[in-house]
Amino acid sequence: MKKIILLLLTLLLFSTLFAVEIDLDESIKLAQANNKEIKAAEYSLKSANWGKVDAFSNFLPRISFNSAIVRIDNETYELANAPFQIPDTGLVFPAMFPIYRTSYSNNITVQQPIFNGGKVILGYQLANLAKQQTEIALENKELDTSYAVAFTYFGYLKLKDIQRLTQKSLSSSISHLEKVEKNFEVGTAKKSDILQWKVKLNNDKTSNFEIENGIDEILSFWKNLLGVEESIPTEILLEKYDTEIDGYTDMKQDEINTAKQEFLNEVELTSPTLNSIDLANKMMKKSYCMAKGNFLPSVNLQFDYQIESDDEFDFSGDDNWNLVAAVSVPLFTSGSNFSKVKQAKYELLKTKKQTEYARDSYLIAAENVYNKLITNARIVQDRKLALEFAKENHKIINQLFEQGMITNSELLDAETMLFGSEMNLISSYYDYVLTKFEMKKYKGEMEE
């Protein structure tokens, strides 16, 4: 029994220490499968589907069975069934229209709308547009989730890379501090040199502590986003982006303008947000047409078949039927129809202006994202060059320090410059990658 418990504890320990690595595409699929907001948007789409079915049902006839039981009071019954007597003649006649004390009536009614100012057709078209808007809302929610996954994914990897650098910097600080302390013992270093390296060592420890907390925080958000407990992002090679980064940095201004316009054209064609803006305009136009339909006549048919109307509930009474064709023409509604048309008109004009502004703002934002991609690609190139210089400078400073030709402060500055350049390069790589995914979001793409 003890062996089994020990084995279970060992397995539990290994399960907590070794999480499953998953790539970005798999992460996005997991998030979309488990995200509660996406599930809510899917239910909204199902609701919109049934709304469209309901709107279509307005074209179809309505059939109803109606049953009524009527019981009248004694006074009314006696009065209605009292014989009729002609004064001064002595003649007495039975009641001309006798009624039952309790009467039962059963009938079937069929109603068929023919034309109602176009409201039925426009209502169905509005329901269809509402369904399309719900589909776009679901797509946008999936895109937002995908971008959140990518942002968290690369944010985690960025912190892990920076953590390696800070640990490397920490190890270097410990090594230099030990050397300076030894030099101080033999009189070749000053007390201030020791203090400077101690300050740097403490700063490196604090940086490592902050980064560890940041990793734990972003990993918690990652697990909540995916709905999977034991998982971490798979590491990537940042160098795989070098070829396309070189391509962007080598582009001339004319090439940049051409590529940017192609990107914006693609955004206009495929962006769910822009499609939603177009649908908003279409829906307001339909609402405006529906308001104008209040001035048009309406035509409806109604067929009634009375199964029985007598004093027993046995479906054996006299039957009859009637067919009614009703035409209603609005002549005067105290200005209500006119005011509704005016209201719908200005709502349409307001929506047009709002959507024009939203569309222009969205395309400007998309253009800025493309410009940011070019800028971030150039920043990567600049920081790669800066890192090369920092490495060369660090090498030279170390050699001069070993020869006693420079001060401890200069060596410390060289160390700081080297690790700062490495961190800047890593940050610029991830800025570039995230900008790429932001561009995909504008185009409505989700996978890497």
Side-chain angles (χ1 to χ4, degrees), residues 1 4 13 34 50 90 94 116 135 220 281 305 307 309 317 327 382 439 445:
M1 186 65 181
I4 295 175
L13 178 63
N34 298 324
W50 284 109
N116 286 283
E135 290 173 341
S220 299
N281 276 318
Y305 175 66
I307 300 172
S309 181
V327 179
D382 292 342
M439 287 177 61
E445 299 174 359

Side-chain angles (χ1 to χ4, degrees), residues 218-266:
I218 201 168
L219 197 57
S220 299
F221 180 70
W222 157 269
K223 291 176 180 179
N224 183 59
L225 195 60
L226 269 63
V228 178
E229 283 298 322
E230 303 304 328
S231 64
I232 57 174
T234 302
E235 294 186 7
I236 62 172
L237 291 174
L238 293 174
E239 290 76 13
K240 73 177 184 178
Y241 296 103
D242 283 343
T243 301
E244 60 184 66
I245 287 173
D246 292 341
Y248 282 122
T249 54
D250 292 339
M251 290 174 67
K252 306 298 181 185
Q253 190 59 46
D254 291 342
E255 294 174 329
I256 292 174
N257 292 337
T258 301
K260 185 196 303 182
Q261 191 57 50
E262 290 175 357
F263 166 68
L264 293 176
N265 291 339
E266 191 172 355

